């Protein structure tokens, strides 16, 4: 009796404190300002309801077909296949361009690992090319050097170029495409972060032989998770759909002559995507307004620098990014800004760590010039959701300004 009373005395405080910790964590999550969150509307719900009402709860269906058509219309690419992720889209794009074990594929070094992991899935070798100062994307001169040297060393051309438009900023498309054309190497445009961005009025994702988008939950529009491959080549897009549905041959029974994948987007996710596409231009407008706000508030601080938008480029400003140069900021660092905002329960993140610095790609050939390493050392992504209120933006900007006061 006495023993059990003692036991309960020990248990109660622990369970109470656990519950208190849970409540605290929950409130932290609820009040937290995240970097980039989904922004849903009524149409997404309506389309999903229609799919439930008609029982199209599967990886085929009318919403999936409609989403593909509407995405192609938006991007200006004649054909598109909706897939389970942007990474899956890159994987299929590499297969379609003929990449095989032992091949080399050039990829922007300054990117997220989803851009280049599919190269490794195929047993090919990534060759990383560093960024230019202006756009932070692939440097065309370095690309040319890389191709020439790979041809000298390997006796064959790299099989494809994955050109990334990071944070929504168009790469130097004209020059990169000119180098690719000179060596007749196909370009896969990784526009995962750049849906809605354009270069001289043409949407990103439509310059390369194939383009890909991501609809991950953190992107400018989302299907909760998903991606797409677009192209002018109808045969390639059909091939992507075929490979994404386990490469099933046209036969009454299940027959397969090739290895396939389960990479199709579900009809339910496509419903969300259809609703999101309707407001994509509004979302681009809002993301750009976030960027303009931060820039107007913070640009005057010593050592702070925002990326500019070159003539002819239109960025969706998916994430607002900023550089903090400790040599001119009076010693204030990117890390201090991160810690100070974290103290207010506000999420920020360093810029992507370049792929040539990643342990998993240690030893991969890389052509570097120091640009992406500096961007990684100094750069920060600020909260950029389209649901951010003016009050929240003020809190973030004021917290940063306080560090300089
Ligand atoms: C530049 C870039 N490429 C590829 C991907 C992969 O997309 P997903 O997450 O849909 O697989 C992402 C994002 O997640 C990305 O930011």
């Amino acid at each position: 009796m006495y023993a059990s009373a003692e036991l309960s005395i020990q248990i109660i405080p622990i369970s109470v404190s656990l519950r208190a910790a849970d409540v605290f964590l929950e409130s932290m999550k609820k009040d937290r300002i995240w970097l980039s969150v989904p922004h849903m509307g009524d149409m997404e719900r309506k389309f999903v309801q229609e799919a439930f009402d008609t029982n199209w709860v599967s990886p085929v269906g009318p919403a999936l077909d409609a989403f593909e058509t509407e995405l192609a219309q938006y991007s200006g690419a004649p054909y598109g296949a909706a897939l389970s992720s942007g990474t899956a889209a890159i994987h299929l794009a590499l297969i379609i361009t003929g990449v095989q074990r032992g091949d080399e594929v050039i990829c922007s070094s300054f990117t997220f690992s989803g851009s280049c992991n599919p190269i490794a899935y195929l047993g090919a070798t990534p060759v990383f090319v560093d960024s230019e100062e202006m756009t932070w994307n692939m440097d065309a001169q370095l690309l040319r050097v890389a191709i020439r040297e790979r041809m000298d060393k390997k006796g064959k051309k790299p099989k494809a170029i994955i050109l990334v438009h990071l944070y929504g900023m168009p790469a130097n498309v004209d020059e990169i495409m000119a180098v690719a054309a000179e060596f007749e190497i196909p370009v896969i445009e990784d526009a995962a972060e750049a849906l809605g961005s354009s270069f001289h009025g043409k949407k990103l994702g439509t310059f390369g032989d194939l383009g890909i988008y991501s609809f991950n939950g953190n992107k400018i529009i989302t299907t909760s998770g998903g991606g797409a491959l677009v192209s002018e080549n109808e045969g390639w897009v059909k091939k992507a759909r075929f490979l994404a549905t386990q490469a099933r041959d046209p036969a009454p029974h299940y027959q397969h002559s090739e290895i396939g994948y389960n990479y199709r987007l579900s009809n339910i996710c496509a419903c969300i995507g259809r609703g999101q596409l309707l407001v994509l231009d509004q979302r681009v407008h809002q993301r750009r307004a976030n960027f303009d706000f931060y820039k107007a508030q913070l640009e005057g601080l010593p050592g702070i620098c925002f990326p500019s938008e070159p003539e002819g480029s239109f960025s969706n400003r998916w994430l607002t990014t900023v550089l903090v140069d400790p040599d001119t900021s009076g010693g204030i660092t990117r890390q201090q800004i991160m810690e100070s905002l974290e103290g207010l329960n506000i999420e920020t993140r360093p810029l992507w760590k370049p792929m040539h610095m990643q342990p998993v790609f240690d030893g991969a050939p890389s052509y570097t010039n120091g640009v992406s390493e500096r961007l990684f050392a100094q750069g920060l992504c600020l909260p950029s959701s389209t649901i951010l209120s003016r009050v929240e933006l003020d809190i973030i900007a004021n917290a940063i300004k306080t560090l300089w006061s």
Side-chain angles (χ1 to χ4, degrees):
M1 191 62 191
Y2 183 73
S4 72
E6 206 176 41
L7 196 65
S8 66
I9 288 167
Q10 282 172 352
I11 287 169
I12 288 167
I14 291 169
S15 61
V16 165
S17 71
L18 272 181
R19 244 178 282 126
D22 282 350
V23 170
F24 176 69
L25 276 176
E26 274 315 304
S27 77
M28 283 280 284
K29 273 194 233 156
K30 190 158 60 67
D31 299 334
R32 186 163 172 78
I33 299 181
W34 299 98
L35 201 61
S36 182
V37 295
H39 185 170
M40 293 293 128
D42 290 340
M43 289 308 285
E44 291 82 337
R45 204 184 287 270
K46 181 178 162 285
F47 288 133
V48 171
Q49 186 64 52
E50 271 171 25
F52 269 69
D53 292 345
T54 50
N55 208 23
W56 280 109
V57 185
S58 79
V60 291
L64 186 58
D65 298 342
F67 181 54
E68 287 182 338
T69 306
E70 289 155 7
L71 179 68
Q73 275 162 2
Y74 181 90
S75 68
Y79 308 103
L83 302 166
S84 55
S85 70
T87 309
I90 295 173
H91 189 188
L92 296 184
L94 290 170
I95 295 172
I96 288 165
T97 45
V99 173
Q100 290 180 346
R101 184 167 295 281
D103 286 335
E104 290 190 334
V105 174
I106 291 186
C107 184
S108 307
S109 183
F110 192 42
T111 188
F112 169 64
S113 64
S115 300
C116 52
N117 279 338
I119 303 171
Y121 301 167
L122 292 168
T125 303
V127 174
F128 296 116
V129 172
D130 213 325
S131 301
E132 55 171 19
E133 290 281 356
M134 183 58 141
T135 66
W136 299 3
N137 291 311
M138 192 185 281
D139 182 306
Q141 299 317 314
L142 214 46
L143 172 64
R144 183 180 275 106
V145 170
I147 296 172
R148 288 221 171 101
E149 194 176 303
R150 298 326 296 164
M151 286 166 69
D152 282 351
K153 283 206 165 136
K154 302 290 284 187
K156 64 176 184 177
K157 288 188 290 194
K159 217 40 182 293
I161 297 166
I162 301 176
L163 173 65
V164 185
H165 305 289
L166 217 58
Y167 302 113
M169 179 62 74
N172 188 346
V173 178
D174 284 343
E175 284 192 32
I176 297 281
M177 293 308 292
V179 175
E182 183 185 329
F183 293 95
E184 298 181 337
I185 301 176
V187 173
I188 298 166
E189 251 185 294
D190 178 348
E193 302 178 1
L195 183 61
S197 300
S198 56
F199 187 69
H200 292 286
K202 188 168 149 70
K203 291 277 184 344
L204 298 188
T206 63
F207 288 89
D209 299 81
L210 294 140
I212 76 96
Y213 300 115
S214 167
F215 308 117
N216 190 291
N218 64 1
K219 294 296 183 289
I220 192 154
I221 62 166
T222 183
T223 55
S224 73
L229 175 148
V230 295
S231 179
E232 277 184 9
N233 187 322
E234 187 180 10
W236 282 354
V237 174
K238 280 190 175 155
K239 176 89 182 181
R241 280 198 206 102
F242 167 74
L243 292 171
T245 41
Q246 305 288 20
R248 187 178 168 194
D249 291 339
H253 50 275
Y254 276 81
Q255 177 167 302
H256 307 273
S257 311
E258 274 184 68
I259 294 294
Y261 304 86
N262 185 3
Y263 276 174
R264 218 49 178 121
L265 189 72
S266 92
N267 193 66
I268 295 295
C269 293
C271 292
I272 303 174
R274 290 193 72 200
Q276 291 271 281
L277 265 184
L278 294 173
V279 291
L280 175 52
D281 283 337
Q282 287 173 39
R283 300 292 187 258
V284 172
H285 181 82
Q286 189 55 49
R287 295 254 174 185
R288 288 177 63 86
N290 288 343
F291 176 89
D292 291 343
F293 173 85
Y294 284 126
K295 190 170 176 211
Q297 295 289 315
L298 305 173
E299 199 174 35
L301 297 172
I304 284 273
C305 171
F306 285 86
S308 52
E309 200 172 39
E311 176 69 28
S313 289
F314 178 84
S315 169
N316 67 9
R317 299 286 191 198
W318 169 55
L319 294 184
T320 290
T321 54
V322 62
L323 298 179
V324 188
D325 181 353
D327 291 341
T328 51
S329 67
I332 292 159
T333 61
R334 181 266 308 273
Q335 190 61 23
Q336 273 172 281
I337 300 180
M338 284 188 74
E339 282 165 13
S340 150
L341 291 176
E342 190 55 49
L344 296 170
N345 204 11
I346 298 168
E347 185 188 27
T348 57
R349 198 177 295 155
L351 299 189
W352 297 121
K353 180 172 182 175
M355 290 302 119
H356 72 267
M357 296 172 75
Q358 297 286 355
V360 70
F361 293 119
D362 198 23
S366 56
Y367 294 82
T368 59
N369 55 16
V371 174
S372 63
E373 290 187 24
R374 183 180 60 83
L375 295 173
F376 173 56
Q378 298 185 353
L380 187 66
C381 301
L382 296 174
S384 303
S385 303
T386 46
I387 57 166
L388 276 176
S389 67
R390 175 60 201 259
V391 172
E392 289 172 318
L393 286 165
D394 274 330
I395 291 171
I396 298 163
N398 288 335
I400 297 174
K401 281 189 221 168
T402 306
L403 289 169
W404 269 264
S405 59

